[in-house]
């Protein structure tokens, strides 16, 4: 009965055969055998033995094209690529690491196969955090088993991307190659719903979101920081973005501003009038620095009072201060002053740690997380006055990278970081 069902299925899929047909079957040992077939009209009939159909499955090629090599188990190879004026050859087990790319966002891939033509329609680029890139086949030499395909990476938008290029050949089994690729595209872009600013800078990717618990995310590290604001009662958080707009650039820095709607600690929406406050986030990025700079602007629209504003709660296995000392968590609330920056080691060995750079006051929480405060923590503020706090976040593989970024920020056009580190 299983033989009859298989034969019927094969006959139904072969209704466009003209003349005498050839049939090749791949056996369980991987070898190909041509078997006898009968052609009657548009129907091809043949018999497969149980030995040729291991576990009830068989690979069959009907009317093999002259160009097809059946005995082919090798995947095609991306042997090189071009981007801008640069040409790079690739060896076996290679990967493509483009780093930050600028105006040249189109990459050309040279693909080759030992035995069969390239299946150019199979090529894909899949990356985390982005849609598929568009591509164009510029050369397809089926006799030479080569192809040239161009990918437009700029369509993905700003971000830091890790992914893979996959491409198959036209062998019966469709041998498929996978080539890792990494790159970043500098810029800032607002998502269609207006609730996230996606950005990449210096090869690192970030998002700034209208979200009460994931307001600023360091994508590679998979961690987020968020602000807490208090004018007496209750605690206030960013609920969503009301409006996002781009400001004038400053010495290479791109800048966006987001006006925020608020909610209380229970998730209940709070109007600005109910909260007595207006909150704005200012976000800045520079192509040469792997940081996102965030300034929180809290304006009092109520009576004169004190404001309590801090950012948290970044996790880490431990943290390192600029003096080189590694600190285990005390598991209690403890402020430790103004070091200028801290490095938080990752709790996940597969991910980088995080650098936090700021002129404010750093402190530990009782949960083993880092908090950034104003100094003093509660500041009197009159009606119409604004309290601004500024910091930078970055992914980092060690404290040295954070120190380098802190020194670069201290020498940048962002005045908030002037003097943040000593010489």
């Amino acid at each position: 009965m299983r033989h009859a069902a298989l034969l019927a299925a094969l006959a139904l899929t072969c209704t466009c055969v003209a003349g005498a047909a050839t049939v090749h079957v791949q056996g369980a040992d991987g070898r190909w055998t041509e078997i006898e077939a009968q052609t009657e009209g548009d129907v091809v009939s043949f018999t497969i033995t149980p030995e040729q159909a291991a576990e009830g499955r068989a690979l069959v090629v009907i009317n093999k094209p002259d160009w097809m090599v059946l005995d082919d188990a090798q995947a095609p190879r991306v042997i090189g690529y071009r981007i801008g004026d640069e040409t790079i050859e690739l060896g076996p087990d290679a990967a493509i690491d483009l780093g930050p790319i600028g105006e040249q966002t189109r990459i050309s891939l040279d693909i080759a196969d030992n035995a069969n033509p390239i299946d150019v329609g199979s090529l894909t680029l899949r990356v985390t955090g982005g849609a598929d890139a568009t591509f164009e086949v510029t050369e397809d030499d089926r006799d030479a088993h080569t192809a040239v395909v161009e990918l437009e990476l700029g369509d993905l938008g700003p971000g830091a991307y890790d992914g893979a290029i996959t491409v198959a050949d036209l062998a019966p089994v469709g041998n498929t190659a996978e080539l890792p690729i990494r790159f970043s595209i500098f810029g800032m872009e607002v998502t269609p719903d207006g609730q996230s600013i996606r950005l990449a800078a210096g090869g690192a990717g970030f998002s700034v979101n209208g979200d009460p618990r994931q307001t600023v995310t360091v994508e590679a590290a998979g961690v987020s920081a968020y602000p807490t604001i208090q004018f007496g009662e209750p605690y206030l958080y960013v609920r969503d973005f009301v409006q996002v707009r781009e400001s004038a650039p400053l010495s290479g820095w791109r800048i966006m501003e987001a006006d925020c709607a608020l909610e209380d600690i229970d998730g209940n929406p709070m109007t600005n009038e109910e909260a007595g406050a207006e909150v704005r986030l200012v976000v800045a990025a520079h192509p040469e620095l792997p940081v996102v700079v965030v300034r929180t602007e809290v304006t009092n629209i109520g009576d004169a009072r004190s404001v309590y504003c801090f950012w948290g709660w970044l996790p880490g296995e431990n943290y390192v201060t600029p003096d080189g000392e590694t600190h285990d968590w005390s598991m209690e609330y403890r402020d430790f002053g103004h070091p200028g920056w801290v490095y938080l080691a990752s709790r996940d060995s597969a991910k980088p740690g995080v650098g936090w750079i700021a002129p404010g006051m750093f402190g530990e929480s009782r949960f083993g997380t880092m908090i950034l405060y104003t100094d003093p923590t509660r500041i009197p503020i009159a009606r119409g006055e604004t309290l601004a706090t500024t910091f930078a976040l970055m992914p980092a593989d060690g404290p040295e990278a954070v120190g380098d970024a802190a020194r670069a920020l201290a020498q940048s056009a962002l005045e908030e970081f002037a003097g943040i580190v000593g010489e």
Side-chain angles (χ1 to χ4, degrees):
M1 181 64 69
R2 182 174 64 184
H3 165 73
L6 175 62
L7 183 59
L10 290 170
L12 287 171
T13 59
C14 300
T15 58
C16 298
V17 178
T22 61
V23 177
H24 293 79
V25 178
Q26 187 181 47
D29 59 0
R31 292 188 295 181
W32 288 89
T33 304
E34 185 172 2
I35 62 175
E36 185 179 350
Q38 293 80 42
T39 304
E40 186 174 340
D42 291 334
V43 176
V44 178
S45 301
F46 52 91
T47 300
I48 298 176
T49 67
E51 290 76 17
Q52 292 171 317
E55 299 181 354
R57 301 172 64 88
L59 182 59
V60 177
V61 174
I62 300 174
N63 282 358
K64 180 186 81 68
D66 292 339
W67 53 260
M68 180 179 285
V69 176
L70 296 174
D71 190 15
D72 178 14
Q74 285 191 316
R77 308 174 315 282
V78 179
I79 59 176
Y81 67 91
R82 291 179 297 280
I83 184 166
D85 297 328
E86 187 178 21
T87 300
I88 304 294
E89 295 183 356
L90 297 174
D93 302 320
I96 297 178
D97 190 346
L98 302 175
I101 59 178
E103 295 181 358
Q104 297 290 347
T105 59
R106 197 168 182 87
I107 181 174
S108 178
L109 306 173
D110 295 323
I111 309 169
D113 191 82
N114 290 338
N116 280 289
I118 307 301
D119 182 2
V120 292
S122 71
L123 189 137
T124 60
L125 167 61
R126 299 194 180 277
V127 293
T128 55
D132 294 348
T134 58
F135 68 91
E136 177 185 357
V137 179
T138 58
E139 296 180 27
D140 184 10
D141 191 332
R142 296 170 71 89
D143 294 331
H145 313 144
T146 61
V148 178
V149 178
E150 292 187 352
L151 290 166
E152 179 49 65
L153 303 178
D155 293 344
L156 296 169
Y161 298 102
D162 276 296
I165 296 166
T166 58
V167 63
D169 61 16
L170 287 173
V173 295
N175 302 300
T176 301
E178 183 173 289
L179 176 70
I181 184 170
R182 173 181 294 178
F183 59 94
S184 68
I185 301 172
F186 170 71
M188 307 174 75
E189 182 177 79
V190 183
T191 56
D193 64 2
Q195 293 306 306
S196 184
I197 303 170
R198 295 185 62 239
L199 64 109
F206 309 89
S207 64
V208 181
N209 312 293
D211 187 287
R213 297 297 183 270
Q214 295 181 329
T215 310
V216 179
T217 299
V218 182
E219 292 180 352
V223 300
S224 300
Y226 62 90
T228 302
I229 302 159
Q230 186 184 38
F231 287 97
E233 293 290 342
Y235 288 109
L236 303 174
Y237 305 88
V238 172
R239 181 177 180 84
D240 54 39
F241 291 157
V242 177
Q243 183 185 37
V244 180
R245 57 193 171 276
E246 187 157 6
S247 302
L250 174 66
S251 300
W253 289 88
R254 285 192 62 182
I255 302 170
M256 282 192 175
E257 298 181 359
D259 296 331
C260 303
L262 304 173
E263 66 177 38
D264 66 17
I265 196 170
D266 297 317
N268 300 310
M270 297 279 290
T271 67
N272 288 350
E273 290 70 25
E274 290 172 332
E278 294 177 348
V279 176
R280 176 181 296 122
L281 297 181
V282 181
V283 183
H286 192 284
E288 297 179 1
L289 288 176
V291 303
V292 58
V293 174
V294 180
R295 183 170 75 241
T296 320
E297 296 179 351
V298 180
T299 300
N300 180 21
I301 62 173
D303 295 334
R305 50 196 171 150
S306 293
V307 60
Y308 181 41
C309 180
F310 65 89
W311 280 78
W313 308 58
L314 287 183
E317 183 66 22
N318 49 48
Y319 64 94
V320 180
T321 43
D323 57 9
E325 185 175 351
T326 299
H327 304 263
D328 293 324
W329 299 105
S330 64
M331 306 310 291
E332 61 183 28
Y333 287 104
R334 185 179 71 86
D335 302 334
F336 55 90
H338 305 76
W341 60 265
V342 294
Y343 165 72
L344 292 105
S346 177
R347 292 174 177 171
D348 183 344
S349 60
K351 295 180 178 180
V354 173
W356 202 347
I357 305 167
M361 182 168 61
F362 286 92
E364 299 182 27
S365 81
R366 65 185 181 91
F367 307 107
T369 55
M370 189 65 64
I371 301 176
L372 180 67
Y373 299 97
T374 60
D375 188 10
T377 56
R378 298 181 185 273
I379 297 177
I381 183 170
R383 177 189 289 270
E385 286 187 341
T386 297
L387 172 67
T389 58
T390 304
F391 63 86
L393 287 174
M394 63 180 293
D397 291 325
E400 295 80 7
V402 187
D404 290 344
R407 284 184 285 274
L409 282 170
Q411 298 169 8
S412 74
L414 302 182
E415 296 179 358
E416 297 92 332
F417 293 98
I420 194 172
V421 291
E423 297 296 330

